Amino acid sequence: MTRWRVALVDDHPIFVAGLRKLLEAEGDFEVVAVAHSFEEAVAKILPIEVDLVLLDVTIPGGNGLELLRKLREVKKGTVFLMLTVEEDERVIVQAILEGARGYVLKQDSPERLLRSIRACLSGEVLLSDLVYSRIHHLVRKAVPQERSTIWEKLSPREQEVVRLLAQGKSNREIGEMLFISEKTVKNHVSNILQKLGLSDRREIIFLALREGFPEEAK
């Protein structure tokens, strides 16, 4: 069984203790570092091997986004997931731009957090429903007067998958919503990336932010 090495960065000891207990109870997560400040995170995480870093946006001694940027420069293969109470749409978008694989709010359920972590470790991009609503609002403000035709390269089903990907849904969730298998979802995602000339799921979100979402099927 794969055992994922996890680092936690948050300045609330009680929250971190609960999060650590939640993860280690799963059996396939090992918390290898805990940091309560920017400096402590850099000192503890940079020298070790770590698969996943869960970090807050607000931390003493610096900014979670700055920390994300600094760690990613060295930890190329590490997955970063923001776990925070910060709902500002600009922060959400910046976190994704900086390479966060997921953005989950602390008020989400433990089950949702665990699903998000596992999906992110599998290469997916996960967002809380409230986080998506913030981004969707931003997209609606940014949509140009003439809707982009880029989505016309995709089939109607692929456009449905794009909308759900941009909402931060996992392959499993998309499959359940569209009544198709996870394998079929993965095939759709591969086709979408190829047709649009994109390299990963985060770029689909960037494209949606720039061009607006595909129109809903009538």
Side-chain angles (χ1 to χ4, degrees):
M1 180 178 68
T2 301
R3 193 166 176 82
W4 303 104
R5 295 165 60 86
V6 183
L8 309 178
V9 183
D10 194 287
D11 65 335
H12 294 87
I14 294 177
F15 175 79
V16 171
L19 181 57
R20 181 172 195 162
K21 184 176 181 180
L22 173 70
L23 291 172
E24 294 188 337
E26 291 293 295
D28 56 346
F29 295 110
E30 177 187 4
V31 177
V32 295
V34 174
H36 302 295
S37 69
F38 188 103
E39 294 79 5
E40 187 180 12
V42 171
K44 286 187 173 181
I45 297 173
L46 283 184
I48 65 173
E49 292 184 10
V50 59
D51 301 301
L52 171 72
V53 178
L54 294 174
L55 65 159
D56 199 349
V57 171
T58 305
I59 52 176
N63 179 288
L65 298 183
E66 295 172 1
L67 178 61
L68 169 62
R69 188 181 309 120
K70 186 176 185 65
L71 293 178
R72 282 196 75 242
E73 290 176 355
V74 179
K75 301 295 184 183
K76 302 295 185 183
T78 299
V79 172
F80 294 88
L81 191 152
M82 310 305 294
L83 181 58
T84 181
V85 297
E86 179 57 66
E87 300 175 15
D88 188 294
E89 59 194 27
R90 294 165 299 181
V91 174
I92 296 168
V93 172
Q94 188 60 38
I96 298 171
L97 288 171
E98 293 291 351
R101 189 75 63 77
Y103 198 106
V104 179
L105 298 177
K106 288 182 177 179
Q107 56 263 45
D108 281 353
S109 68
E111 294 76 20
R112 173 64 178 175
L113 172 60
L114 289 171
R115 287 200 305 271
S116 299
I117 290 173
R118 295 189 187 283
C120 289
L121 287 168
S122 298
E124 301 177 40
V125 177
L126 265 290
L127 306 173
S128 298
D129 290 340
L130 181 55
V131 168
Y132 163 70
S133 71
R134 297 289 189 187
I135 291 182
H136 187 267
H137 172 65
L138 182 64
V139 170
R140 288 305 182 195
K141 292 192 297 184
V143 170
Q145 292 298 314
E146 294 186 7
R147 180 168 291 277
S148 173
T149 60
I150 192 169
W151 306 117
E152 294 176 4
K153 298 179 181 179
L154 308 180
S155 69
R157 175 47 60 91
E158 288 167 347
Q159 291 182 26
E160 288 182 293
V161 172
V162 164
R163 281 191 292 271
L164 295 173
L165 285 173
Q167 291 175 31
K169 302 299 183 184
S170 68
N171 287 342
R172 179 180 177 182
E173 290 170 327
I174 293 173
E176 290 173 350
M177 296 175 75
L178 299 182
F179 304 103
I180 57 179
S181 69
E182 273 191 72
K183 184 176 186 301
T184 300
V185 175
K186 290 179 181 179
N187 290 338
H188 282 314
V189 173
S190 295
N191 291 336
I192 290 165
L193 294 174
Q194 182 177 15
K195 287 182 178 181
L196 298 182
L198 305 177
S199 60
D200 59 36
R201 291 164 174 257
R202 287 193 308 120
E203 291 189 0
I204 294 175
I205 296 177
F206 301 157
L207 189 63
L209 287 169
R210 189 177 73 242
E211 304 291 339
F213 294 104
E215 290 185 342
E216 295 282 354
K218 303 297 183 183

